[in-house]
């Protein structure tokens, strides 16, 4: 098995540190940028779903009142 020369080992360590730094930067970008955009999109979808839900509840309420009115005639 070859022995690693100290200067070569130092190069490997520097390369590993650079890779870790790049990985930290990528994680930071994902956390700060992509998740923020996803949060905004999810909020917009949530508002649309709320509107649809209230429309369905209102429609069902109107239908029930109409059926009650017809049944009482």
């Amino acid at each position: 098995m070859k022995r690693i020369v100290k200067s070569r080992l130092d190069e490997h360590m520097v390369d590993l540190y650079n890779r870790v730094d790049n990985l930290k930067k990528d994680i930071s970008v994902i956390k700060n940028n992509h998740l923020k955009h996803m949060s905004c999109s999810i909020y917009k979808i949530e508002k649309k779903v709320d509107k649809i839900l209230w429309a369905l509840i209102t429609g069902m309420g109107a239908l029930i009142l109409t059926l009650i009115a017809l049944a009482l005639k």
Side-chain angles (χ1 to χ4, degrees):
M1 188 162 146
K2 282 184 167 181
R3 290 184 52 161
I4 298 177
V5 183
K6 182 170 177 16
S7 64
R8 182 109 168 120
L9 181 63
D10 290 340
E11 290 175 12
H12 285 294
M13 292 298 292
V14 168
D15 184 48
L16 284 175
Y17 282 125
N18 287 336
R19 289 183 184 195
V20 169
D21 286 341
N22 289 337
L23 187 62
K24 285 180 181 179
K25 288 177 187 175
D26 290 343
I27 290 172
S28 174
V29 166
I30 290 171
K31 283 170 111 177
N32 295 328
N33 192 11
H34 299 310
L35 293 180
K36 183 178 179 182
H37 292 298
M38 285 176 57
S39 175
C40 292
S41 296
I42 290 171
Y43 180 71
K44 288 178 184 176
I45 291 172
E46 182 182 3
K47 285 183 7 181
K48 289 179 183 177
V49 169
D50 284 344
K51 287 179 182 177
I52 292 171
L53 181 65
W54 280 111
L56 286 173
I57 290 172
T58 304
M60 292 297 286
L63 178 65
I64 290 171
L65 290 174
T66 303
L67 291 175
I68 291 172
L70 289 174
L72 293 177
K73 273 190 171 180

